[in-house]
Structures are given as C-alpha cells and as structure tokens.
Amino acid sequence: MHDMQRKYYIIKIQYLGFRFHGWQKQPNVNTVQRMVDRTLAYVLGHKKFKTLAAGRTDAKVSVNETYIELFLDEGVLHKEEFLPVFNLNLPQDIRALCIDETDEKFNIIQHTKEKEYLYLFTYGEKIHPFAAPFMVAFPEQLNIALMQQAATQFIGTKNFKNYTYKPTPTTNTIGTITTCELIENKVYQANFFPEKSYLLRVIGEGFKRNQIRIMMARLMQLGSGVLSLEQFKKSLEVPEENLPITYIAPASGLILQSVKFLEE
C-alpha cells in the first residue's frame, strides 16, 4: 500500500557551490542536499521524503542547472504554490527553477543524461577576490593556442584511465566526449572579472571522478611547458602508459552548466 501513495517529482535547481562540501549529505559539514532536505522538511511539515540528484558535485563546484528527484511518501505538492515557498526558505545561494511530476519508472541516477561542464580560468596575475567562487587564476604564463589545439584531442570515445582519480581495477574508464573546446569566456561576466578570461567547455554522457579538473590540469601543464604535446597525446592514446596525476585543478573554477535527459 505504501508505494501506492508515493509521489515522484523532478525539481530543477541551481546553486553556487563555494561554501558547500558538494551535493551529498555528509556528517559534520554543510552540503547542498542537507540544506535542500532541511528546507523541504520545513515547507512540507514532515520528513517522509527523500531526495536524489542527477549527479554528485564536489565541494566548491557550482551548478547552473541540474535536477533532483523528490520521493514523497505523504501528501501531494501543489506545484504553483510549492515553488515560491520553497525558494523563499532556501538559502540565497540555492534556487529552484521549476518542478514537474514524474513516476516510479523514472530513475534519475540510471536515466541516460548528457552533461555540459564549464571550467573558467585566467592566468598570469592575481585577480579580484570576488571572482574566486567562479574562476581560477593560474599564476603561470600559458600558451592558450597550444591548449586550444590539445583540447580537441579529448573528443571521441577513449580510455580516460589517465584522467580518472584513483581508479580501481573494476573502474570503467572508457567514456565518450562529444564536445571539448577551449574558448574565451563570454558566458559569465562580472565587472570584477579580469579583462580576459577563458573557459574549457566539455559535453559528454558521463565523467569519471575529478575527470574535468584533471583534464584542465593537464591542459594547464601543457600550456605552461611542464608537459610536452607528445606526452599529452600519449596520455589519451596509450592508457597503459601511466601518466601520474601530479595536480588536480581547483574545484572552484568548475560549473555544471546543464544536464539533459536523453531518450533511452
């Protein structure tokens, strides 16, 4: 009888990740899920629900658009009334964009989705502290043209073993990237941003642990001369050639830009 009453909803949300330890609830730290669940409990007046996200984000990673699934075991939501009240009670750095009803057949974790990530950065000089939650300033001088050329090498179905943080023998390190480009940042603007900033834009169906940040780190190492183009190409073409991960780009430059559900 219990499942007969259960209602299923999809909520589209966005958040600034800078003060959170990622999405997933953990003891003793503030996470986005903790704030969302606490707000839901207040607005609904009970705790007979659970939430699942379309994917986990690391500490300090921001999200322009993702989805959470709400499993509600008591009551029914009136979407038009619920959304403004939910937003009013959420902290300023989390916002719900819309809500839709779904059913038990939808599985937010297993449903195939395409994710678009942006990594915002600049280089060469210290930038305004206000920009810290959104972009990373690499102190090194970078060869942007070389990095742009290399970024396209990530496109395709490849073994990303050298771009996976601590893979175990059972980790599937094969993945497909459909878009990867390094371009000037025209997406996010602020008067305290440096005059010129860049972004790495990556689209794919799924990514390994810290993959985008390791990709950014390798491009930065290439652009600063720590890594040769030959070493970089080998890291993608010959996964047996283990290229140790000596650096992971900071999480604060990473934004989950959008999530799209694909037809199965």
Side-chain angles (χ1 to χ4, degrees):
M1 186 65 199
H2 167 77
D3 270 1
M4 294 289 288
Q5 292 174 307
R6 177 170 262 196
K7 300 273 183 212
Y8 304 81
Y9 300 92
I10 295 282
I11 306 173
K12 189 198 276 196
I13 66 162
Q14 57 187 186
Y15 54 86
L16 179 65
F18 202 61
R19 76 180 178 107
F20 294 109
H21 285 257
W23 159 259
Q24 196 167 355
K25 236 189 253 182
Q26 301 160 59
N28 308 322
V29 293
N30 199 14
T31 68
V32 180
Q33 187 177 24
R34 179 172 173 251
M35 295 311 293
V36 164
D37 285 5
R38 188 189 269 185
T39 307
L40 281 167
Y42 177 75
V43 170
L44 297 168
H46 63 79
K47 290 185 177 176
K48 292 175 183 166
F49 66 86
K50 72 168 189 168
T51 53
L52 271 181
R56 289 186 247 172
T57 49
D58 291 340
K60 287 187 163 41
V61 174
S62 291
V63 172
N64 176 59
E65 185 186 289
T66 190
Y67 294 88
I68 56 175
E69 190 169 3
L70 169 65
F71 303 85
L72 189 62
D73 289 328
E74 186 181 288
V76 178
L77 288 190
H78 300 290
K79 295 181 294 187
E80 291 75 16
E81 291 165 29
F82 168 78
L83 203 64
V85 180
F86 185 43
N87 268 321
L88 188 65
N89 289 283
L90 278 169
Q92 292 277 334
D93 44 9
I94 306 175
R95 177 166 74 152
L97 297 165
C98 60
I99 178 166
D100 286 298
E101 202 164 343
T102 182
D103 56 38
E104 72 277 5
K105 293 197 240 2
F106 180 78
N107 182 317
I108 200 162
I109 304 289
Q110 287 167 359
H111 204 99
T112 314
K113 44 200 168 289
E114 183 182 77
K115 292 182 179 178
E116 177 185 7
Y117 280 96
L118 304 180
Y119 193 101
L120 268 59
F121 72 98
T122 184
Y123 69 91
E125 59 178 350
K126 188 96 178 187
I127 57 172
H128 197 300
F130 290 2
F134 312 101
M135 70 170 61
V136 171
F138 296 112
E140 298 84 354
Q141 286 300 315
L142 298 178
N143 180 340
I144 295 290
L146 181 62
M147 291 165 71
Q148 286 174 320
Q149 178 196 333
T152 61
Q153 306 278 322
F154 287 117
I155 299 169
T157 300
K158 297 174 193 276
N159 187 335
F160 289 104
K161 182 166 169 266
N162 283 320
Y163 292 85
T164 306
Y165 182 69
K166 293 188 176 169
T168 66
T170 56
T171 305
N172 173 20
T173 54
I174 306 292
T176 303
I177 288 177
T178 51
T179 300
C180 187
E181 57 179 0
L182 198 158
I183 52 177
E184 206 174 314
N185 166 34
K186 303 276 192 216
V187 180
Y188 290 102
Q189 300 292 310
N191 63 4
F192 50 80
F193 278 8
E195 212 167 293
K196 207 171 202 181
S197 59
Y198 300 89
L199 62 84
L200 178 68
R201 178 167 171 259
V202 189
I203 301 175
E205 272 184 34
F207 296 97
K208 317 302 163 201
R209 192 172 167 205
N210 292 154
Q211 184 179 339
I212 310 283
R213 289 165 61 193
I214 297 165
M215 286 164 62
M216 185 66 238
R218 290 267 158 82
L219 288 171
M220 192 279 291
Q221 289 175 322
L222 175 71
S224 63
V226 173
L227 209 62
S228 71
L229 190 58
E230 189 189 3
Q231 284 172 302
F232 176 83
K233 285 181 172 169
K234 251 189 192 169
S235 74
L236 282 164
E237 288 161 11
V238 195
E240 301 75 54
E241 290 262 341
N242 189 19
L243 186 60
I245 293 164
T246 55
Y247 175 63
I248 297 177
S252 51
L254 188 60
I255 297 167
L256 173 55
Q257 182 66 3
S258 65
V259 175
K260 286 188 178 69
F261 292 110
L262 305 173
E263 293 307 310
E264 301 285 283

